[in-house]
Amino acid sequence: MVKKSDSFFIRQTLNANNTNTYEQIPLDLGAYVDALGKSVLRIHNVAVTFSDPNGKALEIGGSTSAAAQFQLCTQSQTDIVFSSNRAVISSGKLYGVNTLTGDHYPKVSHDTDVLPQMWTNGYLVAVDAIYLGGQASSQWTSDVYMSITLECTVETMSEASAMALALSQQGA
């Protein structure tokens, strides 16, 4: 029988800058995950906010467009990977277009990769760290911050199952 904790939230913010380079930070799950101790994390929902350094709406300079994207992975990455990569838990993209001549709040679309992600039975994680990575184009007027909120529970599974899951989420 699976034992499950009450749900709780894990939050993290990444400064993806606005230089079109990949940035990444680890989220330590050591307090929740212990495959040998049969403890795993189940992520039920993922919510992501893109903002300026003050948590406010992003602006685009001039009459141009900009993009920003994030990924949450079970392995460290050096760049954005396809969502079909087995390390990807969640990903999202944001596109903005400024049709005016000055710095303004853009018309925004995330239709190509919807940001909120919910799974019927959640996403099991058995590694002790996951990685929030992202990048943003230089057309944003400030650095782009990506704040993620994960709704999670801790569950117990057999040691063999927990180790098998952990091994499947590590390495190339």
Side-chain angles (χ1 to χ4, degrees), residues 31-113:
Y32 315 107
V33 174
D34 180 5
L36 289 175
K38 306 182 265 186
S39 178
V40 296
L41 184 78
R42 185 178 299 268
I43 301 172
H44 298 276
N45 298 301
V46 176
V48 178
T49 302
F50 291 85
S51 68
D52 74 3
N54 300 306
K56 297 179 181 175
L58 290 164
E59 290 187 16
I60 295 177
S63 179
T64 189
S65 60
Q69 53 194 338
F70 85 96
Q71 62 189 16
L72 184 65
C73 298
T74 60
Q75 301 169 26
S76 180
Q77 304 296 325
T78 58
D79 203 349
I80 297 292
V81 296
F82 287 108
S83 20
S84 58
N85 184 304
R86 70 183 175 128
V88 175
I89 297 170
S90 181
S91 65
K93 295 175 182 66
L94 176 75
Y95 295 101
V97 176
N98 178 0
T99 58
L100 305 172
T101 56
D103 295 351
H104 293 284
Y105 299 112
K107 295 178 182 176
V108 175
S109 172
H110 66 280
D111 292 339
T112 59
D113 195 350

Side-chain angles (χ1 to χ4, degrees), residues 33 35 40 125-127 161-171:
V33 174
V40 296
V125 177
V127 291
S161 294
M163 284 306 297
L165 179 60
L167 292 172
S168 75
Q169 293 178 337
Q170 295 174 356

Side-chain angles (χ1 to χ4, degrees), residues 16-27:
N17 300 307
N18 64 347
T19 58
N20 233 4
T21 58
Y22 184 74
E23 304 293 337
Q24 176 180 272
I25 55 173
L27 284 82

Side-chain angles (χ1 to χ4, degrees), residues 148-172:
I148 191 166
T149 302
L150 308 173
E151 180 185 10
C152 306
T153 55
V154 173
E155 299 182 13
T156 303
M157 60 180 4
S158 73
E159 183 178 340
S161 294
M163 284 306 297
L165 179 60
L167 292 172
S168 75
Q169 293 178 337
Q170 295 174 356

Side-chain angles (χ1 to χ4, degrees), residues 97-152:
V97 176
N98 178 0
T99 58
L100 305 172
T101 56
D103 295 351
H104 293 284
Y105 299 112
K107 295 178 182 176
V108 175
S109 172
H110 66 280
D111 292 339
T112 59
D113 195 350
V114 179
L115 301 178
Q117 296 181 8
M118 298 166 275
W119 300 277
T120 301
N121 293 315
Y123 191 100
L124 285 175
V125 177
V127 291
D128 58 2
I130 55 178
Y131 301 86
L132 175 60
Q135 69 184 63
S137 59
S138 59
Q139 291 77 14
W140 300 106
T141 59
S142 67
D143 284 353
V144 176
Y145 284 74
M146 301 164 184
S147 298
I148 191 166
T149 302
L150 308 173
E151 180 185 10
C152 306

